[in-house]
Amino acid sequence: MSADGTILVTGGSRGIGAATASLLADQGHRVVIVDIAPEPLAGTNAILWPAPFDVASEAAVVTGVADIEKAHGPITGLVNAAGVFGKMHPIERVRMEQWDREVNIDLRGTFLVARSVGVAMAKRRHGAIVNVASVAGMTSGPIHAYTAAKAGVIQITQTLAAEWGRAGVRVNAVSPGFTRTAMLEAGIASGALDKEMLARPTAMNRLVEPMEVAQAIAWLLSPLSSGVTGINLPVDAGYIAGTSWAAYGGLPDAPAN
Ligand SMILES: NC(=O)c1ccc[n+]([C@@H]2O[C@H](COP(=O)([O-])OP(=O)(O)OC[C@H]3O[C@@H](n4cnc5c(N)ncnc54)[C@H](O)[C@@H]3O)[C@@H](O)[C@H]2O)c1
């Protein structure tokens, strides 16, 4: 990625995508955001692609990427942040239409956009891609399609890194833990989610801020990570590290001052 190219952020109108687009624009990059429900970001120079962009539609992605490159020049950085959360259901009640929706947007959509952008990056011998996976793709949970889709995102990240490594294109993933986006806050406010239960298993006893995920993504796009490709970087306040301590009676409190 370089400052003279364009960085495309999918799902850029909200949440982690929005925080990432704002950060990258503040760093001086030309950033174009696309979203299925496009809304401009206040207080940033990030450019909104005004037409709805559905990452799960092959035709929409192929034409959309071509039109964006025509309007804004070659895409040298890509952030695949568009996604939908998993619906929590007992296994008997998992509806296969819901399964298909989550897999189509979270896994197939990530692959479609990465391929549409990455093939051209490889021809130009230059580019960096970051896919937003999840700690849910590294652990188990009653969100059957979502965990499988996110594990798939971690897998295709490695495959694409190997595919394009010799062409100078790096592909990495970040795996956020529970991140304080508007949607998560709404879930907490409605009582569907319990903030304390989400925070307690983490080593740091807290949720992740969208900007903390954005900082990791910006690092993976930047030349500061020039030797890094094919990794999955958890940004989870120690969720992976801390979860198994419940079996031993829980995590220790900080010592008294
Ligand atoms: N917030 C968390 O706790 C958390 C944790 C781990 C991983 N993630 C992942 O981070 C990514 C961003 O999630 P978020 O928390 O910012 O959610 P969010 O709902 O705030 O933002 C997601 C954005 O993606 C857009 N989008 C949804 N479907 C789309 C489609 N088909 N095509 C294009 N855009 C689409 C939405 O309109 C929205 O603007 C997702 O992949 C999510 O799975 C989130």
Side-chain angles (χ1 to χ4, degrees), residues 5-257:
T6 291
I7 302 176
L8 180 67
V9 180
T10 74
S13 283
R14 274 158 220 94
I16 291 168
T20 306
S22 302
L23 176 66
L24 292 167
D26 286 354
Q27 290 177 343
H29 299 289
R30 187 188 312 127
V31 178
V32 174
I33 64 177
V34 291
D35 205 288
I36 198 162
E39 258 178 52
L41 297 184
T44 116
N45 289 329
I47 302 160
L48 176 71
W49 188 253
F53 184 109
D54 180 1
V55 298
S57 158
E58 184 171 9
V61 169
V62 171
T63 2
V65 166
D67 290 347
I68 289 164
E69 292 208 312
K70 224 176 279 162
H72 297 291
I75 297 168
T76 52
L78 167 66
V79 180
N80 267 316
V84 288
F85 288 108
K87 285 252 188 301
M88 211 171 84
H89 286 310
I91 192 157
E92 299 82 356
R93 291 191 33 231
V94 173
R95 288 191 0 256
M96 294 322 284
E97 310 86 72
Q98 184 62 32
W99 174 287
D100 290 344
R101 175 175 143 76
E102 289 169 30
V103 172
N104 279 342
I105 296 173
D106 291 349
L107 176 57
R108 188 172 182 272
T110 299
F111 177 77
L112 269 176
V113 182
R115 182 175 65 179
S116 298
V117 170
V119 166
M121 284 178 170
K123 284 196 184 128
R124 293 191 296 264
R125 302 278 189 274
H126 178 62
I129 297 175
V130 180
N131 297 324
V132 181
S134 171
V135 292
M138 307 167 71
T139 54
S140 79
I143 36 176
H144 302 84
Y146 185 77
T147 48
K150 291 298 185 177
V153 171
I154 295 166
Q155 165 55 36
I156 61 168
T157 298
Q158 277 198 1
T159 299
L160 295 178
E163 179 86 39
W164 293 322
R166 282 165 165 72
V169 179
R170 297 186 300 109
V171 188
N172 291 293
V174 294
S175 276
F178 293 107
T179 305
R180 226 165 49 85
T181 56
M183 198 191 278
L184 194 92
E185 288 287 5
I188 292 169
S190 74
L193 294 171
D194 180 335
K195 188 173 177 185
E196 172 64 20
M197 295 259 285
L198 300 179
R200 199 183 309 136
T202 69
M204 298 169 81
N205 197 22
R206 68 170 174 84
L207 304 180
V208 176
E209 295 297 325
M211 193 48 78
E212 293 177 310
V213 184
Q215 292 283 3
I217 294 172
W219 177 72
L220 286 169
L221 285 177
S222 82
L224 291 174
S225 63
S226 56
V228 179
T229 196
I231 71 154
N232 170 38
L233 174 62
V235 184
D236 66 347
Y239 176 83
I240 303 272
T243 302
S244 56
W245 282 57
Y248 306 100
L251 289 152
D253 289 329
N257 288 326

